[in-house]
Structures are given as C-alpha cells and as structure tokens.
Amino acid sequence: MVEVSGLTKYYGDLCAIQDVSFAVQRGEILGFLGPNGAGKTTTMRIITGFMPANQGTVKVENFDVQTQSREVRKRIGYLPENPPVYSHMTVSSYLEFVARIKGVPKKQVRGSLERVLQKCSLTEVASRLIGHLSKGYRQRVGLAQALIHDPPVLILDEPTIGLDPRQIIEIRSLIKELAGDRTVILSTHILPEVSQVCTKVVIINDGRVVVEKNLKELTQGVTLEEVFLRYISRENGEKELENQRPLS
C-alpha cells in the first residue's frame, strides 16, 4: 500500500533524513516513532508530496509521489501537526470547501460532509465557527478534512499533541475506528499512543530508521519504552564510538 525506499533529504548542508525505508500494508496502523527532531515530520511531508526528497522514492498504491503526485494526493488524507483549519469559517462550510478542493464530485459533497461529521462526532457543532471550538474539536475537524474524500491512506502527524487526557482518549479511539480497510501512518513521539493504537512500529533516530517490526513481536517480554530506549541508546552509542575512532 505504501512503500518508502531510500529517502534522503537535505536542508542546505543538514541531512534531515538518510536512507529511510519501510512499508505499510492495507489495514495496518504503523507507528512512526522517534524523539523530537528525529526526522518524522520531514518523512511525512515527503510521503504526502508536500516537499521533494533529494534521493529515494515513495509509492502509494503503486503510484509514485514524484511522477504521479496527483494520483497519490487523491489516495492520501493528511493531518499535519497543526491542522489546516480556518477559524472564521463554520465547520460545515470549511469541510465543503475542502471537499471541492480535493475533487469530490459536486453531487457527492453533501453525502461526504454528513459522513465525516458523523464519523468524527462533529454533527452537533457543524454550524459553529471553528475558532470558537475547543482544541479537541478543532483536531476532529482536522481529521474530518483528511477524510472528506474517503482516502485509502491516512497520514497523521502528532494527532494528539496539546490535547487533554479525555480528548487524547477520544482521538485514539477514533483513529482505531478509522483503520479497517485503510492504511494509517501515525507519526508521534508519545509511546503510549503507539502501544494502544498501532499494529506495527518503525523507530527513527537522527534521521535513520533503526527498527521496523510488528508491535507484538517487538515487545515480547518487554515494554515499548524499554525497546525504544534500547534502540535509541544503541544508535547513539554506535555514533559516539564511531566519532572516537582514530582516522586512518
């Protein structure tokens, strides 16, 4: 469903990610896990076509994100860390606007709107201004805009950051419900989020993938926190050792 191969991205002389590769199958919820600054958001932006990679490829349902960008965008719903909502619009008018931008046929806009309002529990606030909603509801509006064109792939970048505990539980439950036939990539640095929601884990550190495994296989007899710290520490230890070696 989503195949990422050899992604490398430079910002000037800074290498943000290097040789990032992983795959996600239909129905899987992949936890893309790493500390802040590890390269998670850069990878998500490349997968969704918001920026190009210097090297590597991304294929979504066998369409290449660089050469077939329009086809890829039709198949992806993207919730960035800061949801792209307009505070001066009502929930309904904003979602109708997004539906038109994303190419939902005119005759299907009303049905698509009702579907995401119900799925994201927004029916009661449909006529309210987005700027008057709580952060939790604004996050739901962000999810709704990602779902309005009914994409088979959903990319979520830190979807619960800044929410209170009750809102976090609600959003996590919604993400589980959204999976099913969809492929979901959940980028986060919050370990409990991955443990409770995901079926597969990719850990990235300092721009490199350090592990890619099924969650159950990865956490046999240990917690995800122990696994995470082990791989991050191992990676850092190997880099420190490399830096200490004398030049030949």
Side-chain angles (χ1 to χ4, degrees), residues 10-210:
Y10 285 91
Y11 297 112
D13 293 330
L14 174 66
C15 184
I17 58 172
Q18 185 169 359
D19 197 27
V20 169
S21 301
F22 60 88
V24 199
Q25 303 304 317
R26 181 181 295 275
E28 285 187 328
I29 306 180
L30 173 76
F32 195 60
L33 183 61
N36 289 327
K40 299 188 302 297
T41 294
T42 294
T43 304
M44 297 301 102
R45 287 176 177 171
I46 293 172
I47 292 173
T48 53
F50 277 75
M51 66 167 62
N54 294 102
Q55 297 175 21
T57 61
V58 177
K59 289 188 177 181
V60 177
E61 292 194 324
N62 292 320
F63 291 100
D64 187 277
V65 73
Q66 288 299 312
T67 61
Q68 299 167 295
S69 177
R70 181 171 293 184
E71 293 299 325
V72 170
R73 289 170 186 261
K74 288 179 183 178
R75 291 162 172 78
I76 284 182
Y78 180 37
L79 175 64
E81 185 173 344
N82 297 307
V85 296
Y86 296 126
S87 59
H88 63 282
M89 299 179 75
T90 66
V91 173
S92 287
S93 61
Y94 168 71
L95 292 175
E96 287 178 359
F97 168 68
V98 173
R100 292 195 297 272
I101 286 178
K102 293 189 175 183
V104 176
K106 187 175 182 180
K107 292 182 179 180
Q108 297 178 20
V109 168
R110 175 54 56 179
S112 296
L113 175 62
E114 292 176 356
R115 172 177 55 81
V116 296
L117 287 175
Q118 183 176 7
K119 175 67 73 174
C120 298
S121 299
L122 290 168
T123 304
E124 293 183 1
V125 298
S127 60
R128 291 181 58 182
L129 291 175
I130 294 174
H132 293 171
L133 300 177
S134 68
K135 184 170 177 62
Y137 269 114
R138 290 198 301 273
Q139 200 75 346
R140 288 180 177 272
V141 174
L143 276 171
Q145 66 79 29
L147 290 165
I148 192 71
H149 57 306
D150 199 22
V153 178
L154 196 58
I155 311 289
L156 310 175
D157 192 0
E158 303 284 2
T160 62
I161 194 167
L163 302 184
D164 65 35
R166 179 181 59 80
Q167 293 167 339
I168 288 173
I169 292 171
E170 291 174 352
I171 295 297
R172 286 176 182 169
S173 176
L174 178 56
I175 292 170
K176 287 181 181 179
E177 292 175 9
L178 291 174
D181 291 333
R182 287 187 178 86
T183 299
V184 180
I185 299 178
L186 171 62
S187 173
T188 184
H189 65 280
I190 303 173
L191 298 178
E193 198 137 276
V194 175
S195 296
Q196 296 175 30
V197 174
C198 299
T199 55
K200 184 177 180 180
V201 175
V202 168
I203 298 177
I204 185 172
N205 187 42
D206 287 335
R208 293 175 178 268
V209 170
V210 294

Side-chain angles (χ1 to χ4, degrees), residues 235-247:
E235 185 76 3
N236 290 337
E238 288 175 354
K239 288 187 176 182
E240 183 177 345
L241 181 60
E242 183 69 26
N243 291 334
Q244 291 175 355
R245 290 173 181 166
L247 296 176

